[in-house]
Amino acid sequence: MKKLLVTGGMGFIGSCFIRTMLNMEEALHITNADLPTYAGNPDNVKPYDESERYTFLKTDISNAADVERLFQHGSYDAVFHFAAESHVDRSISHPEQFVVTNVLGTFHLLEAARRHGVGRFIHISTDEVYGALGDEGSFSESSPLEPNSPYSASKASSDLMARAYMKTYGLPVITTRCSNNYGPYQFPEKLIPTIILNALQDKPIPVYGDGLHIRDWLYVEDHCLAIAAAWKRGRIGEVYNIGGHEEKTNIEMVRTILGLLNKPESLISYVTDRLGHDRRYAINPDKTRRELDWKPKKTLEQGLKETVQWYVDNRSWWERVLSGAYREGW
């Protein structure tokens, strides 16, 4: 049985990866290392609490002793490092926590993995490390790192640390960089759940600036399948961009979701733009498709319909998040 370590497995993408892998493969045991922060939700992986193939270990990756205990718990065939502070607005108001978690935390994990040995270390990053694009083109794996927010700068720093551990110590690192994810279980601070939940409650939907910022959207389970492919078929030391080829402006996303919910566009409320707001991101996933034999299974139209319906059908999940009840006993 293969043993995997997943950091940040109570979060949106990490929990999806755990659900996807445990449902897809029988001969796996996953250790989920996470810390009770606002974005970690035990409800996301609750069905596996009693599973013999799943273990949760409360871990603060910014604490070296915590990380050392994590690796003393057992040897791992692979480490999947999802744990990160990821909300750009929070990084602008509280940048220090992003440096502590994303840079120092990654260092502690890399150092422990080096000393204890792992089969592969899959470092999960973001397209935001590349900065902003003009009206044409897309980011490739060779695009320069030009982060524009404390969040993206902290992620770029962790990417470079992972690269250094591969080059200096031979740690078997693979880095993946994804475009904007969406899907079930996403924390309400992000754009798509904000649109859905505000619309369901007939509340104003805040849209930054003119609403014409462009993002490339990727269904979260498709992202997780690409990460699994990177583990199994990726080359050590390589970076793989994971994108959906689904570019839309923010205002297009708002209007599409309002249409799916049969809600009026009068709910749209334009607000002052965010500091350092990148105008456009787009990922070129050709290398990933070619080397990992991967491509998204869901179109944006399909994925949005399913995501909106999930939030409609799972009101108790998001009500527990909004009330804070999900943190009771966490």
Side-chain angles (χ1 to χ4, degrees), residues 217-241:
W217 292 95
L218 177 68
Y219 190 67
V220 64
E221 188 173 327
D222 282 330
H223 180 200
C224 292
L225 291 171
I227 292 169
W231 167 42
K232 295 177 179 179
R233 296 187 287 276
R235 290 183 290 137
I236 300 300
E238 292 297 311
V239 174
Y240 293 96
N241 282 350

Side-chain angles (χ1 to χ4, degrees), residues 164-175:
Y165 265 70
M166 186 275 298
K167 290 290 188 179
T168 302
Y169 303 112
L171 188 69
V173 172
I174 294 171
T175 296

Side-chain angles (χ1 to χ4, degrees), residues 170-245:
L171 188 69
V173 172
I174 294 171
T175 296
T176 64
R177 296 180 180 140
C178 68
S179 58
N180 279 43
N181 279 215
Y182 70 97
Y185 297 97
Q186 190 169 23
F187 198 78
E189 69 186 356
K190 297 302 177 83
L191 178 64
I192 288 181
T194 294
I195 299 169
I196 297 170
L197 300 189
N198 282 26
L200 287 173
Q201 299 172 91
D202 295 311
K203 293 181 177 180
I205 297 166
V207 176
Y208 282 127
D210 58 10
L212 298 181
H213 300 83
I214 297 172
R215 298 293 182 263
D216 174 20
W217 292 95
L218 177 68
Y219 190 67
V220 64
E221 188 173 327
D222 282 330
H223 180 200
C224 292
L225 291 171
I227 292 169
W231 167 42
K232 295 177 179 179
R233 296 187 287 276
R235 290 183 290 137
I236 300 300
E238 292 297 311
V239 174
Y240 293 96
N241 282 350
I242 305 169
H245 271 318

